[in-house]
């Protein structure tokens, strides 16, 4: 397999795993909750959903960084996750604030996947005697 083919296939698998992570953890919960005593609104995601999503993305970024490198992992994961989140958010938000959220999701996903994939990549490249 050529390097270009490996990169393209790896990028497609990485994008699919990233979108699949969003789908598995966050796509199905769209309801907000209102505290009857305080009137505060929360949601749509529970803390455990977001934690599970972040941990799963961490595993995906680690594997990607190990085999593909952070220069591919960071943009692919950031764009794939943001696209999945944005399609859903834009469909349920009439205020337009989904665009602000999309920017924050993009920055956060890029930062997280970048740090994790870089660490995995450096661990792989480290000499075995160190």
């Amino acid at each position: 397999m050529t390097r270009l083919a490996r990169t393209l296939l790896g990028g497609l698998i990485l994008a699919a795993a990233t979108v699949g992570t969003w789908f598995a953890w966050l796509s199905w919960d769209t309801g907000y909750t209102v505290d009857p005593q305080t009137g505060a609104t929360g949601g749509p995601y529970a803390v455990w959903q977001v934690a599970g999503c972040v941990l799963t993305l961490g595993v995906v970024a680690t594997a990607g960084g190990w085999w593909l490198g952070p220069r591919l992992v960071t943009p692919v994961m950031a764009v794939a996750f943001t696209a999945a989140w944005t399609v859903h958010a834009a469909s349920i938000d009439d205020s337009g604030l989904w665009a602000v959220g999309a920017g924050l999701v993009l920055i956060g996903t890029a930062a997280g996947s970048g740090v994790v994939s870089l660490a995995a990549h450096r661990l792989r490249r480290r000499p075995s005697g160190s």
Side-chain angles (χ1 to χ4, degrees):
M1 179 179 280
T2 68
R3 183 176 178 156
L4 177 61
R6 180 176 171 254
T7 300
L8 288 173
L9 181 59
L12 287 172
I13 291 169
L14 184 63
T18 302
V19 170
T21 299
W22 173 84
F23 187 79
W25 287 103
L26 304 178
S27 69
W28 50 271
D29 193 358
T30 59
Y32 287 85
T33 58
V34 178
D35 185 322
Q37 293 179 340
T38 64
T41 303
Y45 312 120
V47 171
W48 64 268
Q49 285 176 279
V50 175
C53 184
V54 168
L55 289 173
T56 305
L57 288 172
V59 169
V60 172
T62 299
W66 189 267
W67 284 294
L68 300 170
R71 280 188 249 160
L72 180 65
V73 172
T74 303
V76 168
M77 286 188 71
V79 170
F81 192 83
T82 302
W85 184 91
T86 299
V87 166
H88 181 261
S91 72
I92 62 170
D93 178 25
D94 295 331
S95 71
L97 286 176
W98 63 266
V100 175
L104 295 172
V105 167
L106 180 68
I107 291 167
T109 307
S113 63
V115 167
V116 172
S117 63
L118 181 62
H121 184 70
R122 286 192 174 172
L123 279 174
R124 180 173 189 227
R125 293 186 53 188
R126 189 176 78 190
S128 59
S130 299

